[in-house]
């Protein structure tokens, strides 16, 4: 069963705008990861945030984690057409076996030129 | 490094046929796994391995077998294909079998069972 649920399911923005995507999960986690999938390709790891971290940056990406609300957000600033892809959050529950990542259903981001 | 490679890229099977999806990695990763991706369902874990000779079931293991005789290879076998196994299959690996390590994904195999 899906541990992470992304929101919204689809997002369409203009190039240059910021894109915010959310992920909620049900059980306590060790860390949360975000992945990107371009059409017809495999997933690519973007960023990992640990349960004791609140915010993390990587280039134009900013991830926050609120363990009290069991939610995370991924912000892409100054979006580009090349950011068009599906984005997934993946969690590792503390009561699960190591490395058994559970993925959400994904968010489809479209960035219009 | 080639990373994670998967063959074939596309495959069409008839119901009841068997086949093996190949997965290989050249990064000396301990952990390897297989996922299937269906529209609106995200990725679901089929089987995984924390090292050569060790495999375990994921969320949706029925109808699939795996083995891990070497660190590099982790084939997925469909013994008797069913239309419900029509999906895109991804193999992934990570350095260690722990959740803090990122997973590297292969390009996927698109399987259609008629």
């Amino acid at each position: 069963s899906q541990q992470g649920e992304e929101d919204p399911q689809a997002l369409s923005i203009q190039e240059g705008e910021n894109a915010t995507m959310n992920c909620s999960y049900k059980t306590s986690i060790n860390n949360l990861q975000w992945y990107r999938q371009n059409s017809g390709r495999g997933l690519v790891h973007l960023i990992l945030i640990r349960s004791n971290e609140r915010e993390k940056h990587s280039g134009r990406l900013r991830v926050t984690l609120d363990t009290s609300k069991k939610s995370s957000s991924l912000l892409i600033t100054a979006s580009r057409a090349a950011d068009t892809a599906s984005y997934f959050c993946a969690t590792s529950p503390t009561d699960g076996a190591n490395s058994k990542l559970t993925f959400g259903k994904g968010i489809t981001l479209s960035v219009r030129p | 490094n080639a990373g994670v490679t998967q063959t074939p890229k596309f495959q069409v099977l008839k119901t009841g046929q068997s086949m093996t999806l190949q997965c290989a990695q050249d990064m000396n990763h301990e952990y390897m796994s297989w996922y299937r991706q269906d529209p609106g369902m995200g990725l679901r874990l089929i089987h995984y391995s924390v090292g050569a000779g060790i495999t375990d079931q994921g969320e949706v293991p029925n109808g699939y077998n795996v083995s891990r005789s070497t660190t590099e290879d982790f084939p997925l076998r469909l013994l008797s294909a069913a239309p419900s196994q029509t999906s895109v299959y991804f193999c992934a690996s990570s350095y260690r079998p722990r959740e803090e390590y990122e997973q590297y994904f292969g390009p996927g195999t698109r399987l259609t069972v008629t």
Side-chain angles (χ1 to χ4, degrees), chain A residues 40-60:
Chain A
R41 309 291 289 274
L43 279 72
V44 174
H45 181 264
L46 292 176
I47 196 164
L48 179 152
I49 186 165
R50 301 183 192 284
S51 58
N52 62 353
E53 296 176 312
R54 291 296 166 258
E55 187 171 312
K56 203 162 182 181
H57 296 257
S58 177
R60 294 184 296 112

Side-chain angles (χ1 to χ4, degrees), chain A residues 27-100:
Chain A
T27 63
S28 297
I29 60 172
N30 288 321
N31 62 57
L32 186 144
Q33 303 183 35
W34 284 92
Y35 287 79
R36 183 188 73 229
Q37 182 180 35
N38 290 94
S39 180
R41 309 291 289 274
L43 279 72
V44 174
H45 181 264
L46 292 176
I47 196 164
L48 179 152
I49 186 165
R50 301 183 192 284
S51 58
N52 62 353
E53 296 176 312
R54 291 296 166 258
E55 187 171 312
K56 203 162 182 181
H57 296 257
S58 177
R60 294 184 296 112
L61 305 181
R62 172 177 167 255
V63 169
T64 61
L65 180 65
D66 187 335
T67 53
S68 66
K69 294 181 179 176
K70 292 187 170 56
S71 68
S72 172
S73 67
L74 170 67
L75 169 68
I76 304 175
T77 59
S79 64
R80 305 167 182 167
D83 294 326
T84 294
S86 293
Y87 292 81
F88 295 85
C89 67
T91 55
S92 305
T94 55
D95 60 349
N98 290 339
S99 290
K100 285 182 73 173

Side-chain angles (χ1 to χ4, degrees), chain A residues 1-2 30-31 33 35 37 40-45 48 50 88 92 97-101 103-106, chain B residues 31 35 37 40-45 48 57-59 90 94 96-103 105-107:
Chain A
S1 60
Q2 253 80 22
N30 288 321
N31 62 57
Q33 303 183 35
Y35 287 79
Q37 182 180 35
R41 309 291 289 274
L43 279 72
V44 174
H45 181 264
L48 179 152
R50 301 183 192 284
F88 295 85
S92 305
N98 290 339
S99 290
K100 285 182 73 173
L101 282 183
F103 287 82
K105 296 179 182 179
Chain B
Y31 180 82
Y35 293 88
Q37 184 176 33
M41 297 291 291
L43 279 83
R44 292 182 291 171
L45 181 65
Y48 65 97
Q57 296 180 349
E59 183 185 353
F90 289 99
S94 67
R96 290 285 185 264
R98 295 194 59 81
E99 69 277 3
E100 64 261 36
Y101 290 96
E102 69 177 270
Q103 298 214 16
F105 282 79

Side-chain angles (χ1 to χ4, degrees), chain B residues 15-93:
Chain B
T15 297
Q17 287 185 318
S18 63
M19 79 159 296
T20 299
L21 280 63
Q22 302 291 344
C23 174
Q25 52 89 11
D26 61 357
M27 298 173 283
N28 200 30
H29 283 177
E30 286 187 1
Y31 180 82
M32 296 185 74
S33 57
W34 277 101
Y35 293 88
R36 60 178 288 174
Q37 184 176 33
D38 303 292
M41 297 291 291
L43 279 83
R44 292 182 291 171
L45 181 65
I46 304 172
H47 285 285
Y48 65 97
S49 168
V50 299
I54 306 169
T55 63
D56 205 346
Q57 296 180 349
E59 183 185 353
V60 287
N62 291 343
Y64 307 95
N65 277 354
V66 292
S67 60
R68 183 100 179 267
S69 56
T70 67
T71 300
E72 294 79 19
D73 301 297
F74 190 44
L76 178 73
R77 279 182 285 277
L78 283 70
L79 299 178
S80 179
S84 62
Q85 294 178 304
T86 293
S87 187
V88 181
Y89 291 84
F90 289 99
C91 179
S93 72

Side-chain angles (χ1 to χ4, degrees), chain A residues 7-14 17-22 74 76 83-85 87 107-112:
Chain A
D7 165 61
Q9 288 187 334
L11 182 61
S12 181
I13 59 174
Q14 201 72 33
E17 293 180 338
N18 295 341
T20 299
M21 291 167 271
N22 303 301
L74 170 67
I76 304 175
D83 294 326
T84 294
Y87 292 81
I107 297 169
T108 301
L109 173 66
S110 298
V111 181
R112 303 185 301 274

